[in-house]
Amino acid sequence: MRNRHVRPARAFILMLWALLATLGLNVQIAMADPVANPCTAFGTNPVSLNPQLPSNFNSRNQTNADCTAWQQFIYANWPADPKNPGYPNSSSPSSSFGNPTTSDLTVWESYLQSTEVFNDTQANTLAKKTDEKRPLILHQVSKTGAIDLSSIGQATGEWLTDQRGNLVYYDIRLNPDEVDYIYNANPTGKNLTWAAGQSACAQGTGGFRLPSGYNNDQTCDGKPKIFGGNVGAMEIKAAWIKLPEDGSLNYRYLTAQAVLLKPGADTNATKQSNPVTVGLIGLHIIRHLPGAPQMLWTTFEQVDNTPDAGKHTVNLPSNPNRKPRPSYTLFNPDCNPEQDIYYQCKPNWTPNMAPQIPCDSGPARSPDNCIPYSAPVQVNRVTPVDSTANSVNAYAWSLLPANSVFNYYRLIDVQWPNNPSTIQAGATPPLTTGDITPSNGTRIVANTTLETFVQNKDSCMDCHKYAATASQTQTAVIAAFNTLKLAGSKAPRAMLSTGNTNSAPYASYYSFVFSSSTTK
């Protein structure tokens, strides 16, 4: 078993040095100092290079939250089993974790996209297909998609453009446990891809409660049932950018081949579009597991995204396997306000902090305050990564192969319920936050690629406590929106708005997937 304090190669060198010393030989051996393991306290979930999910979150402190987060990240990014999508390939060696030359899907990339689950296709059958890679088609330029959540302070659906003039695209995935729950938790009537099914589930004996795994779950009518892999519901939200065509940055990113649909394009555009290489720049992992009924809210970023606020540097631990940053992805240190006629080089800013209005570039802009999609947005991190997360980052990196792309990803922060509370059947929003920690008074948890414009306002639970089941009025709006394929941009604001978030009668267990994806 691997020593958790000293890596095997170093341990061998130390033994050899000791042997030579006993023979009276004065040997000088240069070695890098070992990285301290912060995940050793009683009750703390360890971090190791294997695809094993932590089974509980019973020790409620920031160190355990951060260690649990990194182990979940390793699991989610392990190569997927090609014959069993949604689960790790147990035969894949740790030495190949994050190898930039392989094209294997990761576990989370083999999860179904929310759009695949909430449609007329039998997604359960789709998920079980073997040796078949589904094309990645990205057309969302707003994390919130068709639903406008500005009334509760959530990211307002604005788009983000990197410093190369490329839009950031978003991708939402659901693990097998959540998909199984959506299709099979409601034994009476419609499943949870229907607004009526969600309402019926919430009113059942068991209520609307996403699975936490480990034999602790039940159907909407209160009967015990195991869903998916029995590890709890997990939602993934990912942010992608187009990478240079010469492949010069591929070694720093988890990459994928994707068809990028421009805002306003319809589905026929996929037939004429060629895939391009995209790189992952942001990742939310939201998981329901024992000890965290208000979920564990974890967020990671690629290390090149932005500097910390007020500085042109990043609060980042050293990593001998990481090559120097060529440039920032979302920040230009030489930005000239006179030349940046759209954003004036102001970080995390839109004119008058109002919703962006898209238009083509050039002198004939109409209206005159509109912004082209190609205009780079200046982004800065408002809250620097704290020392606990950085210590876990440093240790996790010390476990990785030297060429792993995950040497270029770091944990930003984790929110967790300090006083976890059970959600009862028939619950309505807002749900309890379970004393979510860290609170906004301590620091706001935000990802620069997913909450760019609200980093100084709201954390995860400020918004997700209002997540509600779909209403019939809302589904009609979203169905029409999806037909237009406008991806959160050119559709009129009145159309995107679904009214007050509290108008839906029941809570959807902190998940906005149900209100934003249901079309029937």
Side-chain angles (χ1 to χ4, degrees):
M1 181 176 179
R2 173 174 287 183
N3 187 301
R4 291 183 358 188
H5 300 280
V6 181
R7 298 186 72 180
R10 179 179 172 84
F12 173 78
I13 294 174
L14 290 173
M15 292 174 60
L16 178 61
W17 178 84
L19 176 62
L20 294 174
T22 60
L23 297 176
L25 299 176
N26 184 13
V27 180
Q28 299 294 324
I29 300 178
M31 294 179 294
D33 292 334
V35 178
N37 182 356
C39 307
T40 59
F42 179 77
T44 300
N45 289 317
V47 177
S48 61
L49 201 54
N50 70 78
Q52 183 67 42
L53 276 175
S55 60
N56 65 73
F57 185 70
N58 294 332
S59 181
R60 297 181 184 93
N61 58 71
Q62 194 68 55
T63 298
N64 188 37
D66 293 353
C67 296
T68 302
W70 248 107
Q71 189 59 40
Q72 291 182 163
F73 181 87
I74 290 171
Y75 173 91
N77 285 287
W78 202 264
D81 186 340
K83 297 187 179 300
N84 195 18
Y87 300 95
N89 184 354
S90 58
S91 63
S92 180
S94 59
S95 59
S96 66
F97 181 69
N99 188 325
T101 65
T102 63
S103 60
D104 296 335
L105 293 177
T106 64
V107 169
W108 74 265
E109 288 177 292
S110 71
Y111 291 167
L112 289 170
Q113 290 181 295
S114 59
T115 52
E116 294 176 301
V117 176
F118 288 85
N119 62 22
D120 295 328
T121 303
Q122 178 49 267
N124 281 343
T125 302
L126 179 62
K128 293 176 181 177
K129 288 184 179 180
T130 60
D131 300 318
E132 182 176 323
K133 292 183 179 180
R134 305 188 309 281
L136 177 60
I137 299 175
L138 298 174
H139 56 81
Q140 249 182 272
V141 295
S142 162
K143 186 186 73 168
T144 53
I147 191 169
D148 187 324
L149 303 176
S150 58
S151 60
I152 58 170
Q154 172 62 298
T156 56
E158 310 315 320
W159 68 80
L160 178 60
T161 302
D162 72 10
Q163 292 298 315
R164 292 188 293 270
N166 298 310
L167 281 168
V168 176
Y169 287 82
Y170 298 95
D171 182 17
I172 299 176
R173 307 272 177 156
L174 310 178
N175 81 331
D177 289 44
E178 185 159 347
V179 173
D180 193 7
Y181 184 84
I182 289 170
Y183 279 107
N184 300 307
N186 188 14
T188 58
K190 297 177 172 64
N191 61 39
L192 304 189
T193 66
W194 292 71
Q198 295 169 26
S199 178
C201 179
Q203 297 175 74
T205 305
F208 193 122
R209 191 186 77 168
L210 294 179
S212 64
Y214 307 97
N215 306 315
N216 191 41
D217 300 314
Q218 57 187 6
T219 58
C220 302
D221 59 351
K223 295 181 181 178
K225 182 176 174 60
I226 291 175
F227 295 99
N230 199 27
V231 296
M234 185 183 296
E235 295 183 3
I236 302 289
K237 296 180 181 179
W240 300 90
I241 56 165
K242 180 183 177 182
L243 293 178
E245 295 181 1
D246 62 5
S248 59
L249 296 181
N250 290 10
Y251 74 97
R252 304 176 74 88
Y253 291 87
L254 175 66
T255 62
Q257 293 297 301
V259 173
L260 303 181
L261 296 186
K262 295 181 179 180
D266 59 28
T267 52
N268 291 326
T270 61
K271 299 176 182 179
Q272 288 82 37
S273 301
N274 294 320
V276 299
T277 300
V278 293
L280 181 73
I281 59 171
L283 191 72
H284 280 335
I285 302 176
I286 304 166
R287 185 181 173 212
H288 185 203
L289 74 165
Q294 277 66 49
M295 310 284 209
L296 204 64
W297 305 83
T298 299
T299 192
F300 285 79
E301 290 189 39
Q302 205 272 354
V303 298
D304 299 341
N305 286 345
T306 68
D308 294 331
K311 302 178 181 179
H312 287 182
T313 60
V314 179
N315 178 25
L316 193 66
S318 63
N319 179 351
N321 295 325
R322 187 173 59 243
K323 296 180 181 179
R325 175 187 305 105
S327 63
Y328 290 111
T329 306
L330 302 172
F331 178 81
N332 177 10
D334 300 317
C335 187
N336 185 338
E338 294 182 358
Q339 296 176 353
D340 183 6
I341 63 174
Y342 304 109
Y343 298 105
Q344 301 169 33
C345 299
K346 296 180 180 180
N348 318 323
W349 182 83
T350 59
N352 300 318
M353 289 308 290
Q356 294 156 310
I357 302 173
C359 65
D360 296 328
S361 60
R365 289 189 294 146
S366 178
D368 59 8
N369 63 337
C370 65
I371 301 173
Y373 288 118
S374 59
V377 180
Q378 189 82 333
V379 181
N380 229 325
R381 185 177 310 287
V382 172
T383 303
V385 177
D386 78 335
S387 59
T388 303
N390 271 339
S391 67
V392 179
N393 281 328
Y395 178 69
W397 291 330
S398 75
L399 303 177
L400 303 182
N403 70 337
S404 174
V405 297
F406 300 116
N407 284 297
Y408 299 92
Y409 290 85
R410 61 168 174 164
L411 172 66
I412 300 302
D413 214 336
V414 186
Q415 275 195 312
W416 42 275
N418 191 48
N419 292 303
S421 304
T422 302
I423 305 302
Q424 303 298 324
T428 58
L431 292 178
T432 173
T433 68
D435 184 24
I436 203 71
T437 305
S439 66
N440 286 359
T442 302
R443 65 181 180 274
I444 293 177
V445 177
N447 187 301
T448 64
T449 73
L450 290 152
E451 291 102 7
T452 307
F453 304 101
V454 294
Q455 293 181 65
N456 60 350
K457 294 172 58 179
D458 300 300
S459 288
C460 308
M461 195 60 76
D462 293 312
C463 303
H464 282 268
K465 66 183 179 182
Y466 290 99
T469 55
S471 67
Q472 294 295 341
T473 301
Q474 184 178 29
T475 58
V477 172
I478 295 173
F481 176 90
N482 288 342
T483 300
L484 290 175
K485 301 295 181 186
L486 293 176
S489 56
K490 295 183 179 178
R493 287 277 156 183
M495 176 186 166
L496 295 182
S497 176
T498 57
N500 190 305
T501 310
N502 289 320
S503 62
Y506 297 105
S508 60
Y509 213 89
Y510 304 101
S511 174
F512 279 117
V513 166
F514 297 89
S515 60
S516 64
S517 299
T518 303
T519 59
K520 54 189 178 181

